[in-house]
Amino acid sequence: MTSLIEAPYPFQETLGFTVTDWSDGACTLTQPLHDHLGNRYHILHGGVHATLLDTAMGFAVAYTGDPDLRQLVMTLSLNVNYLGVATGEAVTATGRKTGGGRKTAFASGELHDSTGALIATATAVFRYRGTEKRTDTK
């Protein structure tokens, strides 16, 4: 699994999340709760929720199992339900592929805080954009 995880891209480095698990149809990300990710109420900004859920679901539908091949996807639709305020040290986003076909994929996601509380849920539709050779592995 480690050989499949890509090197962090600049936006990922800015937020600070890591891919902690990635397998066929599933992905888990962990994001520390940094002060700079808060909104004006000093709670995790909703855009961070959406980014983490979109990313976890996108990785879940893009898994190839081949360390040399990257499946490209783009988000067509993203729906996020905000359910609570994150507490603790970090949040964990999980994404799962729920269906799809040759050109599109469907996924669901959940965001939990470090106490285990469910903070947000999401669904998304992705379009497959082809594949490319990977050059940036950990």
Side-chain angles (χ1 to χ4, degrees):
M1 193 264 318
T2 302
S3 65
L4 295 174
I5 295 176
E6 300 169 4
Y9 51 95
F11 187 56
Q12 179 180 352
E13 289 177 344
T14 298
L15 292 178
F17 69 84
T18 57
V19 177
T20 54
D21 190 31
W22 191 22
S23 59
D24 191 17
C27 181
T28 303
L29 311 174
T30 300
Q31 170 67 61
L33 293 177
H34 301 300
D35 288 341
H36 74 274
L37 299 178
N39 60 20
R40 66 185 190 165
Y41 304 111
H42 307 288
I43 61 175
L44 187 64
H45 192 284
V48 178
H49 294 73
T51 296
L52 295 172
L53 289 162
D54 181 47
T55 303
M57 292 184 292
F59 270 85
V61 303
Y63 184 83
T64 67
D66 182 344
D68 297 322
L69 187 65
R70 182 189 331 222
Q71 173 65 59
L72 304 174
V73 299
M74 65 187 246
T75 307
L76 296 177
S77 174
L78 174 65
N79 297 292
V80 179
N81 301 298
Y82 300 92
L83 307 173
V85 175
T87 60
E89 300 295 316
V91 291
T92 301
T94 56
R96 289 177 200 79
K97 182 177 179 179
T98 59
R102 188 171 54 87
K103 293 185 179 183
T104 59
F106 303 93
S108 65
E110 294 185 347
L111 187 70
H112 290 85
D113 69 12
S114 55
T115 71
L118 182 62
I119 302 306
T121 61
T123 56
V125 180
F126 297 90
R127 179 176 181 214
Y128 290 116
R129 297 183 51 231
T131 58
E132 69 180 16
K133 290 284 186 183
R134 296 222 5 237
T135 58
D136 61 337
T137 57
K138 278 188 174 179

